[in-house]
Amino acid sequence: MIRVALPVHLRTLARVNGDVTLDIEGAVTQRSVLDALEARYPMLRGTIRDHVTLKRRAFIRFFACEQDLSNESPDTPLPEAVAKGTEPYLIVGAMAGG
Amino acid sequence: MEGQRRLKAAKVLLIGAGGLGSPLGLYLAAAGIGHLGIVDFDVVEFSNLQRQVLHTTPDVGRRKTESAAAHLRAINPEIQIATYDTRISSANAMELVRPYDIVIDGTDNFPTRYLVNDACVLLGKPNIYGSIYRFEGQVSVFAPSAGPCYRCLFAEPPPPGMVPSCAEGGVLGILPGVIGCMQATEAVKLILGIGEPLIGRLLLYDALEMNFREVKIQRDPQCPLCGERPTLHELIDYEQFCGVRGQEAPGAPLESDFEISVEEVKARMDRGDDFDILDVRNPEEWQICRLEGARLIPLGELPARMQELDPSRELVVHCKGGARSAKAVELLRQAGFVNVKNVRGGISEWASKIDPSMPKY
């Protein structure tokens, strides 16, 4: 089971509270996690990755185990702690409130 | 005593005297910062008081800079305060930032955040960043040459309307207190040269879960401002960069063809004209009051739910004051909706002019 932490505006959009949990078969990579997330919550399509290119949008970043994975290959396996669900996969968005 | 002398000699520029600026100002003044610059163009409103604890009820209607200076001098009469009752812009940012040692970003919109970042990088000033939305906050220290800048973290802003502002989405009143206090802590640490500054680290706070997460952030070699081959050497038009035409204050973002007054909406309702009303506020605002027959799609959800609307029908869009609905109209027009109008002044105007029994908030 994978835990995914979404920024608050995307939690609102997906109508979820707290972290999202996903079951993923096969390799746990950023691509497989995001594919599973968008399959479960279609309203998130285009908000995290570009609709067409599936590249990360410039106002979103990905982290896990304190490390910035934003520019890593989407097919690189995620850390074991994420794959086991002990650490969340963080999707962090720009916010501007003050 | 040496530390206190350093604090007294320090020059700190506080950009924004609102939610974040309130705890920042209070604690920096109390700490004995010698020179504090405060930039804000706004006036105190009742709706600010839930989180902007630097201002009080008798200050409503007063310039925020004036109110802030008065309250901070009451805490520390020795403090030298320079107030800049102006909107920071590409035209004045360099001159505002230049005299100060440290800049603290307490602004509330993307164009100003990129502007403050760029001015700080170009002038080599540390920028203590904090931002908030609803129940979450972020803090970091962007120190030129020592770590990443804001552009390294978020190369581009979200499209207008995709990430609501605090005015649109609301914010837990205590949240800026938490984040602002952390920014103040980082400022004092930088001035005193103690501890580990939050450079190259982004602190994420979630008030609902009551957790702090820290992640590492690095300089982007491709950053157009501080990367290996910078292409930005001067300030730019940040409203254009962020895809917005102006601040989120109501008024003037749309030409009159795309606006409608509350009186006209009422008259058309009374005539039985056939049009749809779209309310782009948040569900909690909808619970307070609503227009009869209106349909709710919060602005943040609009891009993903636009297909629920019929582009062939006339659509009248409103929010609380007219700013969010102006963005919604812009989004709808870009998506091909032709017959769409923004209700000037929003439901607040409706409550004032059409239905005084409607609750105001």
Side-chain angles (χ1 to χ4, degrees), chain A residues 3-15 17-19 42-48 51 56-72 87-98, chain B residues 18-21 51 106-110 113-114 129-138 150 152-159 162-166 176 202 204 206 208-209 213-218 220 300-301 304-305:
Chain A
R3 287 162 53 209
V4 180
L6 293 170
V8 67
H9 73 281
L10 295 185
R11 289 208 302 262
T12 304
L13 186 57
R15 299 172 195 273
N17 294 312
D19 292 353
M43 66 284 278
L44 297 182
R45 286 182 186 145
T47 62
I48 299 167
H51 268 298
R56 172 181 62 88
R57 303 197 70 161
F59 50 87
I60 294 283
R61 293 197 81 91
F62 306 134
F63 299 93
C65 302
E66 297 185 8
Q67 302 302 314
D68 187 354
L69 307 179
S70 306
N71 296 319
E72 298 290 316
E87 284 290 327
Y89 177 67
L90 303 180
I91 298 174
V92 175
M95 59 175 73
Chain B
L20 293 171
R51 65 191 184 284
T107 61
D108 64 357
N109 61 84
F110 285 108
R113 291 199 178 274
Y114 282 94
Y129 159 80
S131 66
I132 53 174
Y133 176 61
R134 299 204 70 189
F135 304 101
E136 295 184 356
Q138 301 176 350
Y150 185 60
C152 297
L153 181 61
F154 297 116
E156 290 172 16
M162 182 169 268
V163 180
S165 70
C166 285
L202 176 68
L204 307 167
D206 182 338
L208 288 183
E209 301 289 323
R213 285 170 171 146
E214 182 189 311
V215 293
K216 295 184 175 71
I217 53 175
Q218 295 179 331
D220 177 4
E301 299 179 18
R305 295 179 59 189

Side-chain angles (χ1 to χ4, degrees), chain B residues 25-46:
Chain B
L26 291 168
Y27 278 104
L28 293 178
I33 296 293
H35 306 266
L36 192 62
I38 304 171
V39 186
D40 205 306
F41 67 93
D42 216 348
V43 296
V44 179
E45 296 179 24
F46 277 114

